[in-house]
Amino acid sequence: MKILITGANGFIAKNLIAQLKVEGYDDLLVCNRNTTDGAMEKYIKECDFVFHLAGVNRPENNNEFTEGNVEFTKTIIDMLQTYSKNVPVLFTSSIQAENNNAYGESKKKAEDVIFNYGKSSGAPVMIYRLPNAFGKWARPNYNSVVATFSYNIANDKSITINDEDHLLELAYIDDIINEFILSLNGQGRKVGEFYEITTTTKITVGQLANKLYEFKSSRENLIMPSLANQFDRNVYATFLSYLNKDDFSYYLNKNEDNRGWLAEFIKSKEMGQIFISKSKPGITRGNHWHHTKVEKFLVVQGEGVISFRNINDDKVIEYHVNGENPEVVDIPPGYTHAIKNTGVEDLITLFWACEIFDQNNPDTYREEV
């Protein structure tokens, strides 16, 4: 199957092309602003399906709406009809088509061109009136508030909020692309005249901004906001995609002494925290117990022994661990415990605790194993 994709350099098309390639669609005919009329004509003659994703969102003058959204659509449809190509066409319109503005009116006229093609040719036409789309590769400061906020916040730039309570309806790019591929295979979800993205989320502008600022702060305070729902995971992925290429990493604060060092890695109000330590040969860490706090230890380098003793008796339990055989050791409450480096190299250990350390209520009591 040969698939023609217009607007190939755009946000939605880039994601669609990437996924089509992943799914084995290799014969893609991509069209962008630099595609010649001759090449476009050749593509039309060859194609078996059209994703018409090109459009104008932010022109210098309103005439460009007509040229980019209406006239270009007419050009594609005229070519299809000239060569009797009654192939399916999927078109990305906008919820703005319902509104009385220059952009919305141009999208509505383009919709009419597509619908008329479907009626005259009998070919399937799939028109999606997309809400605000977001995800990786969207251009910031253009047509996506999520892209703009993500880019600016990730790069320490200010954002402008005119109305914190303004309600947005957002569609994530992966959900959009999944729906498009369903339509490619004749399984799109049609409601009335139009096809729909079934998964969208409503959120206020203020809530969106706060969420993104929390993600930004997590690189400093190490506290990750909840990612329990898919929308939050989608927004977090989008935020990370706008980090400057020289700013992917950040350093942890090491607490260093003659034993080695310890650093907190990540914290979560729901899942506790993870930290990492390096202990020199012969060094012992721990010798304390907890009433309720529980932990997990995982040695990733070196050799060591983790010792336990129920504080109510004298019996010592030992687990010999090493980095070559990953073994997670649970630390139950009521057991004083310690980990000692028994090898000849530094001992690197990952620790998980079920709660973020609270200096005012540490639930940690010194006692030798």
Side-chain angles (χ1 to χ4, degrees), residues 41 113 126 180 228 233 277 344 366:
E41 189 173 4
V113 172
M126 293 141 278
F180 284 5
R233 292 194 290 275
S277 77
V344 296
R366 299 289 305 177

PDB file of all heavy atoms in Angstrom, residues 41 113 126 180 228 233 277 344 366:
ATOM      1  N   GLU A  41       1.933  15.332  -8.358  1.00  0.00           N
ATOM      2  CA  GLU A  41       1.113  14.642  -9.352  1.00  0.00           C
ATOM      3  C   GLU A  41       1.470  13.163  -9.428  1.00  0.00           C
ATOM      4  O   GLU A  41       0.601  12.293  -9.509  1.00  0.00           O
ATOM      5  CB  GLU A  41       1.300  15.310 -10.712  1.00  0.00           C
ATOM      6  CG  GLU A  41       0.353  14.822 -11.789  1.00  0.00           C
ATOM      7  CD  GLU A  41       0.464  15.640 -13.066  1.00  0.00           C
ATOM      8  OE1 GLU A  41       1.334  16.530 -13.141  1.00  0.00           O
ATOM      9  OE2 GLU A  41      -0.326  15.377 -13.989  1.00  0.00           O
ATOM     10  N   VAL A 113     -15.084  20.393   0.834  1.00  0.00           N
ATOM     11  CA  VAL A 113     -14.410  19.867  -0.358  1.00  0.00           C
ATOM     12  C   VAL A 113     -14.219  18.353  -0.219  1.00  0.00           C
ATOM     13  O   VAL A 113     -14.476  17.583  -1.156  1.00  0.00           O
ATOM     14  CB  VAL A 113     -13.056  20.569  -0.579  1.00  0.00           C
ATOM     15  CG1 VAL A 113     -12.269  19.896  -1.703  1.00  0.00           C
ATOM     16  CG2 VAL A 113     -13.260  22.047  -0.886  1.00  0.00           C
ATOM     17  N   MET A 126     -12.627  10.437   5.876  1.00  0.00           N
ATOM     18  CA  MET A 126     -12.572  10.445   7.333  1.00  0.00           C
ATOM     19  C   MET A 126     -12.085  11.809   7.789  1.00  0.00           C
ATOM     20  O   MET A 126     -10.919  12.155   7.572  1.00  0.00           O
ATOM     21  CB  MET A 126     -11.635   9.349   7.833  1.00  0.00           C
ATOM     22  CG  MET A 126     -12.149   7.944   7.559  1.00  0.00           C
ATOM     23  SD  MET A 126     -10.851   6.769   7.077  1.00  0.00           S
ATOM     24  CE  MET A 126     -10.681   7.139   5.334  1.00  0.00           C
ATOM     25  N   PHE A 180      -5.858   7.189  13.811  1.00  0.00           N
ATOM     26  CA  PHE A 180      -5.605   7.324  12.373  1.00  0.00           C
ATOM     27  C   PHE A 180      -5.289   5.974  11.740  1.00  0.00           C
ATOM     28  O   PHE A 180      -5.739   5.669  10.635  1.00  0.00           O
ATOM     29  CB  PHE A 180      -4.454   8.293  12.123  1.00  0.00           C
ATOM     30  CG  PHE A 180      -4.812   9.747  12.298  1.00  0.00           C
ATOM     31  CD1 PHE A 180      -6.064  10.134  12.757  1.00  0.00           C
ATOM     32  CD2 PHE A 180      -3.900  10.742  11.991  1.00  0.00           C
ATOM     33  CE1 PHE A 180      -6.395  11.469  12.910  1.00  0.00           C
ATOM     34  CE2 PHE A 180      -4.224  12.076  12.127  1.00  0.00           C
ATOM     35  CZ  PHE A 180      -5.464  12.447  12.599  1.00  0.00           C
ATOM     36  N   ALA A 228       0.136   8.292  38.213  1.00  0.00           N
ATOM     37  CA  ALA A 228      -0.784   7.161  38.322  1.00  0.00           C
ATOM     38  C   ALA A 228      -1.718   7.062  37.127  1.00  0.00           C
ATOM     39  O   ALA A 228      -2.150   5.975  36.762  1.00  0.00           O
ATOM     40  CB  ALA A 228      -1.609   7.269  39.611  1.00  0.00           C
ATOM     41  N   ARG A 233       1.243  10.836  32.676  1.00  0.00           N
ATOM     42  CA  ARG A 233       2.426  10.256  32.030  1.00  0.00           C
ATOM     43  C   ARG A 233       2.644  10.897  30.661  1.00  0.00           C
ATOM     44  O   ARG A 233       3.791  11.149  30.251  1.00  0.00           O
ATOM     45  CB  ARG A 233       2.267   8.738  31.908  1.00  0.00           C
ATOM     46  CG  ARG A 233       2.286   8.013  33.245  1.00  0.00           C
ATOM     47  CD  ARG A 233       2.474   6.517  33.110  1.00  0.00           C
ATOM     48  NE  ARG A 233       1.334   5.840  32.538  1.00  0.00           N
ATOM     49  CZ  ARG A 233       0.270   5.435  33.242  1.00  0.00           C
ATOM     50  NH1 ARG A 233       0.200   5.685  34.536  1.00  0.00           N
ATOM     51  NH2 ARG A 233      -0.721   4.796  32.653  1.00  0.00           N
ATOM     52  N   SER A 277      24.206   4.326  47.499  1.00  0.00           N
ATOM     53  CA  SER A 277      25.402   4.584  48.314  1.00  0.00           C
ATOM     54  C   SER A 277      26.611   3.855  47.748  1.00  0.00           C
ATOM     55  O   SER A 277      26.475   2.838  47.058  1.00  0.00           O
ATOM     56  CB  SER A 277      25.190   4.141  49.768  1.00  0.00           C
ATOM     57  OG  SER A 277      25.299   2.731  49.880  1.00  0.00           O
ATOM     58  N   VAL A 344      36.715  -6.481  48.138  1.00  0.00           N
ATOM     59  CA  VAL A 344      37.944  -5.697  47.979  1.00  0.00           C
ATOM     60  C   VAL A 344      37.699  -4.445  47.137  1.00  0.00           C
ATOM     61  O   VAL A 344      38.606  -3.621  46.991  1.00  0.00           O
ATOM     62  CB  VAL A 344      39.050  -6.553  47.317  1.00  0.00           C
ATOM     63  CG1 VAL A 344      39.439  -7.711  48.228  1.00  0.00           C
ATOM     64  CG2 VAL A 344      38.616  -7.065  45.946  1.00  0.00           C
ATOM     65  N   ARG A 366      18.867   3.842  66.627  1.00  0.00           N
ATOM     66  CA  ARG A 366      20.180   3.223  66.610  1.00  0.00           C
ATOM     67  C   ARG A 366      20.234   1.996  67.521  1.00  0.00           C
ATOM     68  O   ARG A 366      19.769   2.012  68.654  1.00  0.00           O
ATOM     69  CB  ARG A 366      21.252   4.211  67.093  1.00  0.00           C
ATOM     70  CG  ARG A 366      21.396   5.463  66.255  1.00  0.00           C
ATOM     71  CD  ARG A 366      22.009   5.197  64.907  1.00  0.00           C
ATOM     72  NE  ARG A 366      23.297   4.525  65.010  1.00  0.00           N
ATOM     73  CZ  ARG A 366      24.008   4.128  63.961  1.00  0.00           C
ATOM     74  NH1 ARG A 366      23.535   4.295  62.737  1.00  0.00           N
ATOM     75  NH2 ARG A 366      25.179   3.547  64.105  1.00  0.00           N
TER      76      ARG A 366
END
